[in-house]
Amino acid sequence: MEIKSVRLSDVGRFEELDIQFAPTSTHRSKITVLMGRNGSGKTTVLKSLNICLSWLIARIRSGTASGMQLPTEDIRNDAPGAVVSIGITDLSHPRASIGDDHRENELFVWGCARSREGRVATAGGAMSEIRLLADHYRTQLTADEGASLPLIAYYPSERRILDISLKTSGKQAVDQFDGYDNRFNGGVDLHDFFGWFREREDSENEDGIPDAILAQIAEKFGSASEVWQTLSNLEGCSRDPQLTAVRSAIAALMPGFTNLRVHRSPHLHMTVEKHGATLNVTQLSQGEKSLFALVGDIARRLTITNPSMDNPLHGNGIILIDEVDLHLHPQWHLNLIARLRETFPNCQFVLTTHSPTVIDQGTDALVHLLDDGEFCEPKKGLEAIAAK
């Protein structure tokens, strides 16, 4: 499932705006970058996408549920109302293989509208299109509890990590719907990641062999001994596959960061090895913590929505990230998009940034430049950025 296009009419700063998203015939990657200065409308586009996608999430959860509505304050000045509509392609839907023109049948279109008088409506044909797509995934889950769901996640710019909470809810995720945000209120709570990680690691430790015991056996019998090898293999089998995926994602996106774990003494805290040095996660910079939690949360949600995949990081999804370079040192901008693509190869990303250093020509990302409500054609985007 991928976003093909979005249309905004009298939304925010935009009178009319049509945007195509990668992959396209000229950009085969699944990454689209919206660039522009503060106030250029980048966040408006992401919020509009999130509103439309919230309806699909709601209908996958329940056939009669509702998603978010366009807020009245998002109507363009002096306009009587606003409309946002989205086009989604999904080759997994049976409709995509019917008829002579498959490209037309794989497209699902819906949207939302709002007037200044407070009337709320859905754009023409919206409910039937959402229902077709949502019922497809609901049917798959009914037939097979291990079937995959597409991840849909929105990370707003207000995702700053103020503290690292390892408090647990007492209940681990029990179904794939827990991979979605429950609130639709502008993003996810990244604190969920840390509490979830502790819960999973508690279960992993119950089934595994403590590292201290393995170290004692290795010291007494040697790491080449049969007893150590046998116990080491058993320890490997007890590793939680969801935590393994999360650890792998963090190592791939943040080179030099390994061995993420929770310590219970002398007090409860999470540590990670940074270039061989063990650090409390609270000791990381704000940018490191922000990227750390973001990557971990994406990986966590993919493991929940793809419970039967050998490598859940290869799951399908749509991920919206506002200010992807948030709090990051310019050196961290380099190769960030390439690492996202390589770590989550089947996810479509729509990112915003105002930093040209995030764009790497080798990533084949589709770049759109927004400037004071104006839209630059994709092929001219990088040239316009360079000129500014």
Side-chain angles (χ1 to χ4, degrees):
M1 183 171 68
E2 297 168 352
I3 305 172
K4 185 70 174 178
S5 62
V6 68
R7 171 175 290 181
L8 279 63
S9 299
D10 292 322
V11 179
R13 301 174 63 90
F14 303 106
E15 182 177 0
E16 289 289 339
L17 178 68
D18 287 279
I19 296 183
Q20 302 293 314
F21 297 91
T24 67
S25 58
T26 56
H27 294 79
R28 301 314 305 163
S29 77
K30 294 187 175 185
I31 297 179
T32 301
V33 182
L34 307 178
M35 291 199 64
R37 294 171 294 184
N38 291 335
S40 61
K42 307 185 301 298
T43 298
T44 297
V45 176
L46 251 61
K47 286 184 175 179
S48 298
L49 290 171
N50 185 48
I51 288 172
C52 291
L53 291 171
S54 74
W55 281 85
L56 179 58
I57 293 175
R59 289 302 170 100
I60 291 176
R61 284 180 170 276
S62 171
T64 58
S66 299
M68 298 171 62
Q69 299 288 352
L70 270 172
T72 304
E73 54 268 27
D74 280 3
I75 301 175
R76 189 174 63 88
N77 292 342
D78 301 325
V83 179
V84 55
S85 60
I86 192 172
I88 296 285
T89 59
D90 196 324
L91 294 175
S92 71
H93 195 284
R95 191 179 77 172
S97 61
I98 299 174
D100 296 330
D101 191 346
H102 299 328
R103 289 172 298 178
E104 180 178 343
N105 289 331
E106 68 191 45
L107 186 65
F108 299 80
V109 180
W110 68 86
C112 297
R114 183 135 195 175
S115 70
R116 287 199 179 277
E117 288 73 24
R119 289 180 296 172
V120 177
T122 52
M127 290 299 99
S128 61
E129 293 285 280
I130 296 172
R131 185 173 61 251
L132 279 174
L133 199 50
D135 286 352
H136 166 59
Y137 287 104
R138 290 165 60 84
T139 299
Q140 286 186 323
L141 288 179
T142 300
D144 179 7
E145 293 182 353
S148 292
L149 283 176
L151 172 63
I152 300 172
Y154 170 48
Y155 297 92
S157 59
E158 299 86 2
R159 60 182 182 274
R160 185 167 179 241
I161 306 300
L162 298 177
D163 64 273
I164 308 300
S165 174
L166 292 173
K167 295 180 180 180
T168 64
S169 64
K171 169 182 172 293
Q172 293 186 18
V174 295
D175 63 46
Q176 289 154 274
F177 297 131
D178 291 317
Y180 294 130
D181 176 36
N182 295 321
R183 298 169 293 276
F184 303 144
N185 63 351
V188 299
D189 182 359
L190 291 178
H191 290 88
D192 292 347
F193 165 69
F194 298 104
W196 170 88
F197 191 96
R198 180 195 169 185
E199 287 183 338
R200 300 297 307 187
E201 193 177 79
D202 284 345
S203 297
E204 183 181 65
N205 290 337
E206 287 179 3
D207 298 332
I209 302 170
D211 291 340
I213 299 297
L214 283 174
Q216 291 175 13
I217 293 174
E219 182 178 353
K220 183 174 182 178
F221 297 100
S223 59
S225 66
E226 182 177 350
V227 64
W228 188 91
Q229 292 289 347
T230 300
L231 291 176
S232 181
N233 290 336
L234 289 174
E235 168 68 2
C237 293
S238 68
R239 291 295 183 185
D240 185 291
Q242 294 190 2
L243 292 186
T244 297
V246 169
R247 292 167 178 141
S248 298
I250 290 174
L253 260 296
M254 303 178 69
F257 286 72
T258 59
N259 198 25
L260 177 65
R261 58 184 302 188
V262 174
H263 293 266
R264 276 76 183 169
S265 63
H267 58 83
L268 188 66
H269 64 288
M270 178 179 281
T271 65
V272 66
E273 290 187 13
K274 178 181 178 181
H275 301 296
T278 300
L279 299 176
N280 189 317
V281 170
T282 59
Q283 295 176 296
L284 301 178
S285 71
Q286 187 61 51
E288 289 171 330
K289 284 189 288 188
S290 178
L291 183 58
F292 176 89
L294 174 66
V295 173
D297 194 71
I298 294 172
R300 174 182 75 94
R301 291 173 182 275
L302 282 170
T303 65
I304 296 172
T305 54
N306 299 277
S308 299
M309 288 188 67
D310 292 336
N311 186 353
L313 300 184
H314 289 182
N316 180 273
I318 297 171
I319 301 172
L320 315 175
I321 307 177
D322 200 6
E323 295 189 28
V324 68
D325 54 320
L326 188 68
H327 307 303
L328 295 182
H329 186 277
Q331 185 177 0
W332 280 72
H333 296 179
L334 303 175
N335 301 319
L336 176 60
I337 290 179
R339 287 174 181 156
L340 284 172
R341 182 194 62 197
E342 293 166 1
T343 307
F344 310 110
N346 295 319
C347 284
Q348 181 189 35
F349 285 89
V350 181
L351 316 171
T352 76
T353 183
H354 47 69
S355 173
T357 58
V358 171
I359 304 301
D360 181 351
Q361 295 280 5
T363 63
D364 194 32
L366 175 57
V367 180
H368 295 302
L369 181 66
L370 304 177
D371 188 11
D372 295 328
E374 298 294 327
F375 174 61
C376 182
E377 291 297 324
K379 64 181 179 180
K380 301 177 182 178
L382 287 175
E383 291 85 346
I385 293 166
K388 289 181 176 294

